[in-house]
Amino acid sequence: MRGWLTGRLPADWFEGEPEVSIDRDEILVVGRIPAPQQEGEVSAAARSAAEEGRIKQFREDTREKRIEIARELEHATRRKVAWGVQAGETRTIFTSLSAPVMTRLRQPERQVLDTLVDAGVARSRSDALGWCVKLVAQHSESWLAELREAMAKVDDVRRAGPDAATQ
């Protein structure tokens, strides 16, 4: 998929290879574009506004082609495709899938979510649960990376197993 995207994306869109994240439901393609050049001392707000403007311009200029590429990829993979861009320090994801996740929580877990909602940290239990997942991912990044690496090794062993020759 990464190779297909490398060949299919216009060469002038991104600086280097885009970052591609894939899960069961979605393919997220995030590319880096040049940050706007600004003269002299610039405040963080001015820098951020310029980067957001550059991202908005890219989004508008590439919309039709991104839709065309996404349709081709969605047809081939049966997954939704989302796009994002990073300019300087500003990263924006355009339209990303929000997948429902069914879960059963006992009262102590619900109370955590309700506390976040009551405190105004989150708008809803769903929003609070998303906030919690982001926080865990942030604080467990190296452990999650190690776990993903181990899972990839298990996949390699499965592919090399006794049934590999008959496939």
PDB file of all heavy atoms in Angstrom, residues 78-96:
ATOM      1  N   ARG A  78     -11.072  -1.699   0.906  1.00  0.00           N
ATOM      2  CA  ARG A  78     -12.306  -1.735   1.712  1.00  0.00           C
ATOM      3  C   ARG A  78     -12.128  -1.011   3.058  1.00  0.00           C
ATOM      4  O   ARG A  78     -12.737  -1.356   4.050  1.00  0.00           O
ATOM      5  CB  ARG A  78     -12.776  -3.167   1.969  1.00  0.00           C
ATOM      6  CG  ARG A  78     -12.960  -3.992   0.731  1.00  0.00           C
ATOM      7  CD  ARG A  78     -14.317  -3.700   0.105  1.00  0.00           C
ATOM      8  NE  ARG A  78     -14.568  -4.621  -1.007  1.00  0.00           N
ATOM      9  CZ  ARG A  78     -14.682  -4.227  -2.269  1.00  0.00           C
ATOM     10  NH1 ARG A  78     -14.589  -2.965  -2.570  1.00  0.00           N
ATOM     11  NH2 ARG A  78     -14.910  -5.102  -3.216  1.00  0.00           N
ATOM     12  N   ARG A  79     -11.252   0.007   3.060  1.00  0.00           N
ATOM     13  CA  ARG A  79     -11.054   0.852   4.235  1.00  0.00           C
ATOM     14  C   ARG A  79     -11.258   2.305   3.819  1.00  0.00           C
ATOM     15  O   ARG A  79     -10.966   2.669   2.687  1.00  0.00           O
ATOM     16  CB  ARG A  79      -9.629   0.720   4.772  1.00  0.00           C
ATOM     17  CG  ARG A  79      -9.311  -0.595   5.417  1.00  0.00           C
ATOM     18  CD  ARG A  79      -7.868  -0.568   5.921  1.00  0.00           C
ATOM     19  NE  ARG A  79      -7.530  -1.728   6.679  1.00  0.00           N
ATOM     20  CZ  ARG A  79      -6.742  -2.695   6.238  1.00  0.00           C
ATOM     21  NH1 ARG A  79      -6.208  -2.637   5.038  1.00  0.00           N
ATOM     22  NH2 ARG A  79      -6.479  -3.733   6.997  1.00  0.00           N
ATOM     23  N   LYS A  80     -11.702   3.119   4.742  1.00  0.00           N
ATOM     24  CA  LYS A  80     -11.816   4.550   4.492  1.00  0.00           C
ATOM     25  C   LYS A  80     -10.414   5.158   4.461  1.00  0.00           C
ATOM     26  O   LYS A  80      -9.491   4.647   5.087  1.00  0.00           O
ATOM     27  CB  LYS A  80     -12.651   5.238   5.575  1.00  0.00           C
ATOM     28  CG  LYS A  80     -14.116   4.880   5.503  1.00  0.00           C
ATOM     29  CD  LYS A  80     -14.691   5.452   4.242  1.00  0.00           C
ATOM     30  CE  LYS A  80     -16.176   5.205   4.110  1.00  0.00           C
ATOM     31  NZ  LYS A  80     -16.671   5.648   2.822  1.00  0.00           N
ATOM     32  N   VAL A  81     -10.276   6.255   3.736  1.00  0.00           N
ATOM     33  CA  VAL A  81      -8.996   6.948   3.640  1.00  0.00           C
ATOM     34  C   VAL A  81      -9.166   8.355   4.197  1.00  0.00           C
ATOM     35  O   VAL A  81     -10.111   9.059   3.845  1.00  0.00           O
ATOM     36  CB  VAL A  81      -8.498   7.016   2.178  1.00  0.00           C
ATOM     37  CG1 VAL A  81      -7.218   7.832   2.081  1.00  0.00           C
ATOM     38  CG2 VAL A  81      -8.281   5.618   1.622  1.00  0.00           C
ATOM     39  N   ALA A  82      -8.262   8.726   5.091  1.00  0.00           N
ATOM     40  CA  ALA A  82      -8.246  10.074   5.659  1.00  0.00           C
ATOM     41  C   ALA A  82      -6.915  10.729   5.314  1.00  0.00           C
ATOM     42  O   ALA A  82      -5.908  10.048   5.114  1.00  0.00           O
ATOM     43  CB  ALA A  82      -8.432  10.011   7.175  1.00  0.00           C
ATOM     44  N   TRP A  83      -6.935  12.044   5.246  1.00  0.00           N
ATOM     45  CA  TRP A  83      -5.747  12.801   4.872  1.00  0.00           C
ATOM     46  C   TRP A  83      -5.380  13.783   5.975  1.00  0.00           C
ATOM     47  O   TRP A  83      -6.245  14.289   6.687  1.00  0.00           O
ATOM     48  CB  TRP A  83      -6.002  13.597   3.597  1.00  0.00           C
ATOM     49  CG  TRP A  83      -6.300  12.750   2.412  1.00  0.00           C
ATOM     50  CD1 TRP A  83      -7.534  12.337   1.995  1.00  0.00           C
ATOM     51  CD2 TRP A  83      -5.374  12.198   1.493  1.00  0.00           C
ATOM     52  NE1 TRP A  83      -7.414  11.568   0.864  1.00  0.00           N
ATOM     53  CE2 TRP A  83      -6.098  11.469   0.529  1.00  0.00           C
ATOM     54  CE3 TRP A  83      -3.987  12.240   1.383  1.00  0.00           C
ATOM     55  CZ2 TRP A  83      -5.497  10.794  -0.518  1.00  0.00           C
ATOM     56  CZ3 TRP A  83      -3.381  11.580   0.332  1.00  0.00           C
ATOM     57  CH2 TRP A  83      -4.134  10.861  -0.608  1.00  0.00           C
ATOM     58  N   GLY A  84      -4.104  14.076   6.058  1.00  0.00           N
ATOM     59  CA  GLY A  84      -3.619  15.086   6.980  1.00  0.00           C
ATOM     60  C   GLY A  84      -2.350  15.706   6.448  1.00  0.00           C
ATOM     61  O   GLY A  84      -1.722  15.180   5.520  1.00  0.00           O
ATOM     62  N   VAL A  85      -1.994  16.850   7.025  1.00  0.00           N
ATOM     63  CA  VAL A  85      -0.806  17.583   6.579  1.00  0.00           C
ATOM     64  C   VAL A  85      -0.117  18.192   7.793  1.00  0.00           C
ATOM     65  O   VAL A  85      -0.780  18.586   8.761  1.00  0.00           O
ATOM     66  CB  VAL A  85      -1.210  18.709   5.593  1.00  0.00           C
ATOM     67  CG1 VAL A  85      -0.051  19.631   5.305  1.00  0.00           C
ATOM     68  CG2 VAL A  85      -1.730  18.130   4.303  1.00  0.00           C
ATOM     69  N   GLN A  86       1.193  18.255   7.715  1.00  0.00           N
ATOM     70  CA  GLN A  86       1.968  18.964   8.723  1.00  0.00           C
ATOM     71  C   GLN A  86       2.790  20.037   8.027  1.00  0.00           C
ATOM     72  O   GLN A  86       3.512  19.762   7.071  1.00  0.00           O
ATOM     73  CB  GLN A  86       2.886  18.017   9.491  1.00  0.00           C
ATOM     74  CG  GLN A  86       3.665  18.757  10.550  1.00  0.00           C
ATOM     75  CD  GLN A  86       4.073  17.887  11.701  1.00  0.00           C
ATOM     76  OE1 GLN A  86       3.626  16.758  11.825  1.00  0.00           O
ATOM     77  NE2 GLN A  86       4.926  18.422  12.550  1.00  0.00           N
ATOM     78  N   ALA A  87       2.639  21.268   8.518  1.00  0.00           N
ATOM     79  CA  ALA A  87       3.440  22.400   8.042  1.00  0.00           C
ATOM     80  C   ALA A  87       4.103  23.000   9.263  1.00  0.00           C
ATOM     81  O   ALA A  87       3.412  23.480  10.168  1.00  0.00           O
ATOM     82  CB  ALA A  87       2.567  23.437   7.341  1.00  0.00           C
ATOM     83  N   GLY A  88       5.417  22.940   9.317  1.00  0.00           N
ATOM     84  CA  GLY A  88       6.115  23.422  10.507  1.00  0.00           C
ATOM     85  C   GLY A  88       5.700  22.608  11.711  1.00  0.00           C
ATOM     86  O   GLY A  88       5.781  21.381  11.705  1.00  0.00           O
ATOM     87  N   GLU A  89       5.188  23.269  12.744  1.00  0.00           N
ATOM     88  CA  GLU A  89       4.767  22.586  13.964  1.00  0.00           C
ATOM     89  C   GLU A  89       3.266  22.287  13.977  1.00  0.00           C
ATOM     90  O   GLU A  89       2.765  21.706  14.931  1.00  0.00           O
ATOM     91  CB  GLU A  89       5.133  23.442  15.182  1.00  0.00           C
ATOM     92  CG  GLU A  89       6.637  23.644  15.338  1.00  0.00           C
ATOM     93  CD  GLU A  89       6.973  24.569  16.495  1.00  0.00           C
ATOM     94  OE1 GLU A  89       6.180  24.665  17.444  1.00  0.00           O
ATOM     95  OE2 GLU A  89       8.032  25.206  16.427  1.00  0.00           O
ATOM     96  N   THR A  90       2.554  22.702  12.948  1.00  0.00           N
ATOM     97  CA  THR A  90       1.105  22.539  12.917  1.00  0.00           C
ATOM     98  C   THR A  90       0.734  21.294  12.119  1.00  0.00           C
ATOM     99  O   THR A  90       1.109  21.159  10.959  1.00  0.00           O
ATOM    100  CB  THR A  90       0.420  23.773  12.300  1.00  0.00           C
ATOM    101  OG1 THR A  90       0.832  24.930  13.019  1.00  0.00           O
ATOM    102  CG2 THR A  90      -1.084  23.649  12.345  1.00  0.00           C
ATOM    103  N   ARG A  91      -0.010  20.413  12.772  1.00  0.00           N
ATOM    104  CA  ARG A  91      -0.464  19.171  12.143  1.00  0.00           C
ATOM    105  C   ARG A  91      -1.990  19.184  12.148  1.00  0.00           C
ATOM    106  O   ARG A  91      -2.609  19.408  13.185  1.00  0.00           O
ATOM    107  CB  ARG A  91       0.061  17.975  12.929  1.00  0.00           C
ATOM    108  CG  ARG A  91      -0.338  16.626  12.370  1.00  0.00           C
ATOM    109  CD  ARG A  91       0.227  15.531  13.278  1.00  0.00           C
ATOM    110  NE  ARG A  91      -0.205  14.214  12.896  1.00  0.00           N
ATOM    111  CZ  ARG A  91       0.556  13.326  12.271  1.00  0.00           C
ATOM    112  NH1 ARG A  91       1.799  13.625  11.956  1.00  0.00           N
ATOM    113  NH2 ARG A  91       0.085  12.137  11.975  1.00  0.00           N
ATOM    114  N   THR A  92      -2.591  18.938  10.976  1.00  0.00           N
ATOM    115  CA  THR A  92      -4.043  18.927  10.847  1.00  0.00           C
ATOM    116  C   THR A  92      -4.475  17.668  10.118  1.00  0.00           C
ATOM    117  O   THR A  92      -3.939  17.351   9.055  1.00  0.00           O
ATOM    118  CB  THR A  92      -4.528  20.164  10.060  1.00  0.00           C
ATOM    119  OG1 THR A  92      -4.088  21.342  10.738  1.00  0.00           O
ATOM    120  CG2 THR A  92      -6.032  20.186   9.943  1.00  0.00           C
ATOM    121  N   ILE A  93      -5.440  16.959  10.698  1.00  0.00           N
ATOM    122  CA  ILE A  93      -6.058  15.813  10.045  1.00  0.00           C
ATOM    123  C   ILE A  93      -7.382  16.315   9.486  1.00  0.00           C
ATOM    124  O   ILE A  93      -8.183  16.900  10.220  1.00  0.00           O
ATOM    125  CB  ILE A  93      -6.294  14.650  11.039  1.00  0.00           C
ATOM    126  CG1 ILE A  93      -4.994  14.277  11.759  1.00  0.00           C
ATOM    127  CG2 ILE A  93      -6.918  13.457  10.328  1.00  0.00           C
ATOM    128  CD1 ILE A  93      -3.870  13.824  10.872  1.00  0.00           C
ATOM    129  N   PHE A  94      -7.623  16.097   8.201  1.00  0.00           N
ATOM    130  CA  PHE A  94      -8.799  16.686   7.551  1.00  0.00           C
ATOM    131  C   PHE A  94     -10.098  16.002   7.958  1.00  0.00           C
ATOM    132  O   PHE A  94     -10.892  16.564   8.678  1.00  0.00           O
ATOM    133  CB  PHE A  94      -8.644  16.676   6.042  1.00  0.00           C
ATOM    134  CG  PHE A  94      -7.448  17.448   5.550  1.00  0.00           C
ATOM    135  CD1 PHE A  94      -6.790  17.065   4.416  1.00  0.00           C
ATOM    136  CD2 PHE A  94      -6.971  18.549   6.231  1.00  0.00           C
ATOM    137  CE1 PHE A  94      -5.681  17.759   3.950  1.00  0.00           C
ATOM    138  CE2 PHE A  94      -5.869  19.261   5.789  1.00  0.00           C
ATOM    139  CZ  PHE A  94      -5.229  18.852   4.640  1.00  0.00           C
ATOM    140  N   THR A  95     -10.337  14.828   7.509  1.00  0.00           N
ATOM    141  CA  THR A  95     -11.573  14.122   7.836  1.00  0.00           C
ATOM    142  C   THR A  95     -11.198  12.709   8.202  1.00  0.00           C
ATOM    143  O   THR A  95     -10.842  11.920   7.345  1.00  0.00           O
ATOM    144  CB  THR A  95     -12.533  14.103   6.623  1.00  0.00           C
ATOM    145  OG1 THR A  95     -12.749  15.443   6.205  1.00  0.00           O
ATOM    146  CG2 THR A  95     -13.851  13.473   6.997  1.00  0.00           C
ATOM    147  N   SER A  96     -11.274  12.420   9.476  1.00  0.00           N
ATOM    148  CA  SER A  96     -10.869  11.102   9.945  1.00  0.00           C
ATOM    149  C   SER A  96     -12.090  10.360  10.460  1.00  0.00           C
ATOM    150  O   SER A  96     -13.000  10.953  11.030  1.00  0.00           O
ATOM    151  CB  SER A  96      -9.830  11.261  11.060  1.00  0.00           C
ATOM    152  OG  SER A  96      -9.361  10.009  11.466  1.00  0.00           O
TER     153      SER A  96
END
